[in-house]
Amino acid sequence: MVELQSIIIDADVLKLIPKATAAELSVLPLRIENDVVVVAVSDQYDRQLISDLEFYLGKKIKPEPVPAKDLQEALQRYYDISTIEMKKATETAPEFLSVREEERQADAFSDGSVVTIVNRLISDAIKMGASDIHIEPYERLIRVRYRIDGVLHEVMQPPMEKVKPLLSRLKIMADLDIAEKRRPQDGRIRVKEGARTIDIRVSTLPTDFGEKIVLRILDKGKLELNLEKLGFEGRELQTFERTVRLPYGMILVTGPTGSGKTTTLYAALNSINRPEVNITTIEDPIEYNLTGINQTHVRSDIGLTFAAALRSILRQDPNVIMVGEIRDGETAEIAIRAALTGHLVFSTLHTNDAPSAVTRLIDMGIEPFLVASSVKMILAQRLLRKLCPACKTPIEPTYEQIMEIGKENIKKGTKYYQNAGCRQCNQFGYSGRTAVYEVLSIQNGMSSRIAKGITASDLREAGQKNGMNTLRQAALQKAEQGITTLDEVIRETAM
């Protein structure tokens, strides 16, 4: 172990790492050996620190672990860094970031540190509750947008000279090939925010002016696995909870990408997750790891498709199977037959409403009598932004809203609200989202009608006679309860 008290460090070597960075990261450059920078680090150092330094300096780093106390004394001696500065730098930086609060408030791009820029992008996105970060290069600018509560918001435009280093830094963090710019790539980053570990899924896509990168933030701490908190109304919740406890059959959740289908399925699986129940999932990709549930990742490149994985899982003695998505007739047929042979099967489809799921399965080549015998429930869902409780304001519905929703659907005497915007909700007027559901329970003679070839419109009419609310009706209930706005109802649902 190097004795810091007995060595003399060349002034040119010290210039390799600026004072602010040395204080933040608790690192001290010692010497250069064959173009490798030898750096003193705390004996409790993180390997990610070395990766950050190598990217920052553009050179290989050889760490020399030393006692933390000796390192702090040496930093004070060589950089004239006070104990107060050292404490402030270490206390304000999150575990996976090297960004001080005062630097964040200033221009994050002025110091030339791409590491700082990337850390700020990720840290701010997590704190604002963003689900995705879009980094998009254009001819004369690079645009960064966050998707917050389902809507994209532009947050910054970094300088053009930062484009290539910024994209390269993200690809290094995601363990991607930085030299490959012609093909899409997928990777993952794992970061820490306080005591939480957050996974980030990274996707690159070649465009005319460089690679676009999208980061999907998967924060398990925000995953809602309580069915009662998802957005179900009382009667719908009772029906759904009763159905997910059936010993066999199929339950389908439909809706567009990003409508919360996977969260609903995870919550359903969590509600029946017990030691005596063997639950296995097939996903593409696995978004969150659930304790007590066997999760399989589809790998089409090696032949592990949904259909192939489903065949193998049926030999694993499952009670409950979740198929991430039914994409083709082969997967649909195997899933249907699994539901008919004593398994409870959950899956998703991309259809606009619940009744259309039946005709979609039939279009895939499944015989109507098999659909009628296996499908027990279909849920269509959407996500509505919830009003910020601190700044929502009452309104009278506008003429345009009344015409779009229908005069007969606007209840007299009901108080509706609009979004205003305040500091608490980052001036958006919305905070969080809630799901609305169209719950079609296959009962009261529906099975025999499906077997005979019922149309989607006839099935919708039969469902409404049995008490099914359409997506528009379910969304209007949320507006009447003061949870969301009429504009959200119109934007997310259709008559």
Side-chain angles (χ1 to χ4, degrees):
M1 184 177 288
V2 66
E3 294 288 338
L4 293 179
Q5 297 89 344
S6 60
I7 65 170
I8 297 174
I9 303 175
D10 188 274
D12 289 335
V13 173
L14 286 172
K15 290 177 184 177
L16 289 173
I17 301 178
K19 173 181 174 179
T21 304
E24 290 171 20
L25 304 182
S26 290
V27 295
L28 178 66
L30 302 177
R31 59 188 180 278
I32 299 176
E33 295 178 351
N34 299 322
D35 208 33
V36 175
V37 183
V38 181
V39 177
V41 296
S42 168
D43 50 11
Q44 302 294 323
Y45 78 96
D46 187 346
R47 291 185 65 181
Q48 182 63 42
L49 172 66
I50 305 305
S51 176
D52 286 349
L53 279 174
E54 288 181 337
F55 184 84
Y56 181 78
L57 295 176
K59 296 178 180 293
K60 277 286 185 184
I61 298 294
K62 178 184 177 183
E64 283 279 3
V66 297
K69 184 180 178 182
D70 293 351
L71 180 58
Q72 288 184 10
E73 290 175 355
L75 285 168
Q76 291 170 29
R77 186 167 67 252
Y78 283 104
Y79 283 105
D80 193 26
I81 298 173
S82 68
T83 306
I84 293 174
E85 283 181 296
M86 288 290 297
K87 186 178 180 184
K88 190 170 186 180
T90 55
E91 284 182 353
T92 58
E95 289 183 42
F96 72 106
L97 302 175
S98 57
V99 186
R100 292 185 304 169
E101 188 62 31
E102 58 265 35
E103 286 179 335
R104 291 166 53 79
Q105 311 239 342
D107 182 3
F109 309 116
S110 61
D111 67 355
S113 170
V114 175
V115 173
T116 299
I117 298 172
V118 171
N119 289 345
R120 175 184 171 183
L121 289 179
I122 296 174
S123 179
D124 286 354
I126 292 170
K127 287 180 178 174
M128 293 175 73
S131 61
D132 301 87
I133 305 171
H134 291 241
I135 301 169
E136 305 161 318
Y138 296 94
E139 187 174 9
R140 292 185 174 85
L141 63 91
I142 178 170
R143 180 172 67 175
V144 177
R145 296 189 289 175
Y146 294 164
R147 186 177 294 279
I148 301 172
D149 293 333
V151 177
L152 284 169
H153 302 272
E154 185 171 324
V155 292
M156 64 180 71
Q157 291 185 9
M160 283 301 293
E161 63 268 18
K162 302 293 183 185
V163 175
K164 289 182 179 179
L166 176 61
L167 299 181
S168 294
R169 169 62 181 164
L170 285 167
K171 290 171 76 173
I172 288 172
M173 291 174 71
D175 198 25
L176 301 178
D177 183 356
I178 62 171
E180 179 56 77
K181 297 179 173 64
R182 298 171 300 171
R183 295 193 182 102
Q185 296 187 74
D186 295 298
R188 277 185 179 256
I189 299 171
R190 178 164 286 184
V191 299
K192 279 187 175 293
E193 176 75 2
R196 305 193 334 263
T197 298
I198 297 171
D199 284 317
I200 299 175
R201 200 165 69 223
V202 181
S203 172
T204 73
L205 181 71
T207 69
D208 269 357
F209 302 104
E211 290 176 288
K212 173 180 176 178
I213 293 187
V214 175
L215 290 79
R216 167 64 59 88
I217 299 171
L218 304 171
D219 186 355
K220 191 174 181 180
K222 292 190 174 181
L223 179 64
E224 183 55 74
L225 294 178
N226 188 335
L227 284 172
E228 296 180 358
K229 295 181 180 179
L230 290 182
F232 284 102
E233 297 298 326
R235 182 173 175 271
E236 296 169 345
L237 180 60
Q238 290 175 5
T239 304
F240 186 60
E241 287 183 323
R242 184 172 64 249
T243 308
V244 299
R245 283 170 172 76
L246 291 174
Y248 60 88
M250 175 177 279
I251 297 171
L252 294 171
V253 182
T254 78
T257 300
S259 60
K261 300 187 298 295
T262 301
T263 299
T264 297
L265 289 176
Y266 279 170
L269 294 178
N270 187 63
S271 71
I272 58 175
N273 185 10
R274 302 185 302 277
E276 63 270 23
V277 179
N278 180 13
I279 303 174
T280 305
T281 73
I282 314 161
E283 304 174 59
D284 184 22
I286 296 170
E287 294 200 6
Y288 298 96
N289 296 116
L290 304 176
T291 303
I293 294 176
N294 308 289
Q295 296 174 269
T296 303
H297 184 188
V298 167
R299 291 283 304 276
S300 300
D301 56 326
I302 60 170
L304 188 62
T305 60
F306 276 113
L310 186 51
R311 284 195 188 92
S312 297
I313 284 170
L314 288 172
R315 296 191 289 271
Q316 292 280 315
D317 187 32
N319 299 108
V320 179
I321 303 169
M322 185 191 105
V323 183
E325 183 184 344
I326 293 178
R327 296 177 177 173
D328 52 60
E330 183 183 13
T331 306
E333 184 176 356
I334 300 169
I336 290 279
R337 295 196 180 278
L340 291 172
T341 54
H343 305 89
L344 184 61
V345 180
F346 293 85
S347 192
T348 70
L349 279 173
H350 289 288
T351 61
N352 291 326
D353 56 18
S356 299
V358 171
T359 53
R360 176 70 185 277
L361 288 174
I362 294 170
D363 288 343
M364 286 182 174
I366 307 301
E367 293 291 342
F369 75 91
L370 291 176
V371 176
S373 303
S374 59
V375 177
K376 303 301 180 184
M377 174 177 281
I378 305 169
L379 279 77
Q381 73 175 79
R382 298 291 188 276
L383 292 177
L384 303 179
R385 289 182 292 175
K386 295 194 294 185
L387 281 161
C388 172
C391 64
K392 68 179 184 180
T393 56
I395 60 157
E396 288 294 326
T398 65
Y399 175 79
E400 289 78 10
Q401 289 172 335
I402 293 172
M403 289 297 100
E404 176 67 32
I405 293 171
K407 191 174 181 180
E408 69 282 1
N409 294 320
I410 300 293
K411 294 182 179 179
K412 288 185 179 180
T414 299
K415 191 177 287 187
Y416 296 97
Y417 293 86
Q418 69 177 0
N419 58 310
C422 65
R423 187 174 181 179
Q424 191 168 315
C425 60
N426 294 309
Q427 305 301 325
F428 296 143
Y430 296 99
S431 180
R433 289 189 288 178
T434 185
V436 290
Y437 295 95
E438 182 176 276
V439 181
L440 178 61
S441 183
I442 308 300
Q443 57 183 346
N444 296 345
M446 283 190 196
S447 294
S448 59
R449 297 182 66 182
I450 292 172
K452 294 175 183 177
I454 191 173
T455 65
S457 58
D458 288 340
L459 190 55
R460 184 182 302 108
E461 185 179 335
Q464 288 180 288
K465 285 181 180 178
N466 287 332
M468 180 189 82
N469 280 329
T470 64
L471 284 167
R472 172 60 62 86
Q473 290 168 335
L476 276 171
Q477 286 184 2
K478 301 294 185 188
E480 291 161 7
Q481 295 164 8
I483 295 173
T484 192
T485 63
L486 291 174
D487 285 339
E488 276 293 286
V489 173
I490 295 168
R491 188 175 72 91
E492 287 293 341
T493 65
M495 294 296 288

